[in-house]
Amino acid sequence: MSSNASGPQLTRRAAIGACLAGGAMTLSACAGGDDFVELEPGTGGTATFEIDDISVGSGGFLQIDKNAVIVTRPAEDEFHAFSGVCTHQGCTVRMRESVIHCPCHNSEFDVTTGDVLAGPAPTALKEFTIEVSGSTATITV
């Protein structure tokens, strides 16, 4: 059976290209905004960063070994570190305005406690130890 459809036809190559382009846009949308910075990764269960790398009211993201970690700075002398993985389906979370946000299903978490503010996430984000000493902060997972 042949087709006499008129107009442009979508080739396999064009369809794959469209999927790849869509994936790149999705990844860039998950990367956070002006209030989010990528920090240097850590190893051996710890990471250290300069506190001035994160401005007040914003956050940062890093890897410590195989752990995704999100850091928040809600006030001048206040830092928090949480698992960077949503408790709903394991998507990577990011800062968005004044909350930690999961772009997959719109769960939101408190920047000071990691508690769920909006579902479908069932539980709070795991909190990690963060210690500030002078101009640096060290996270331990």
Side-chain angles (χ1 to χ4, degrees):
M1 185 173 196
S2 65
S3 171
N4 289 331
S6 62
Q9 291 188 6
L10 183 63
T11 65
R12 183 184 317 205
R13 182 172 293 187
I16 291 170
C19 289
L20 291 174
M25 288 189 299
T26 300
L27 287 175
S28 65
C30 295
D34 294 335
D35 57 351
F36 189 80
V37 296
E38 294 289 332
L39 300 169
E40 291 294 319
T43 59
T46 65
T48 300
F49 65 93
E50 295 290 323
I51 61 172
D52 288 340
D53 288 348
I54 300 176
S55 59
V56 175
S58 67
F61 185 82
L62 69 150
Q63 287 286 134
I64 301 176
D65 302 318
K66 294 184 180 192
N67 297 288
V69 179
I70 190 162
V71 180
T72 64
R73 187 177 187 183
E76 183 68 31
D77 297 321
E78 184 180 1
F79 291 86
H80 301 276
F82 302 100
S83 169
V85 178
C86 182
T87 58
H88 176 234
Q89 289 189 344
C91 295
T92 302
V93 297
R94 297 286 196 243
M95 287 288 296
R96 187 169 97 180
E97 297 171 7
S98 60
V99 297
I100 299 169
H101 176 78
C102 179
C104 294
H105 300 104
N106 293 318
S107 289
E108 293 184 344
F109 303 88
D110 186 272
V111 296
T112 60
T113 64
D115 290 341
V116 177
L117 299 175
T123 59
L125 297 173
K126 179 180 180 180
E127 188 164 12
F128 299 122
T129 302
I130 185 167
E131 294 183 24
V132 177
S133 177
S135 64
T136 62
T138 301
I139 302 165
T140 304
V141 296

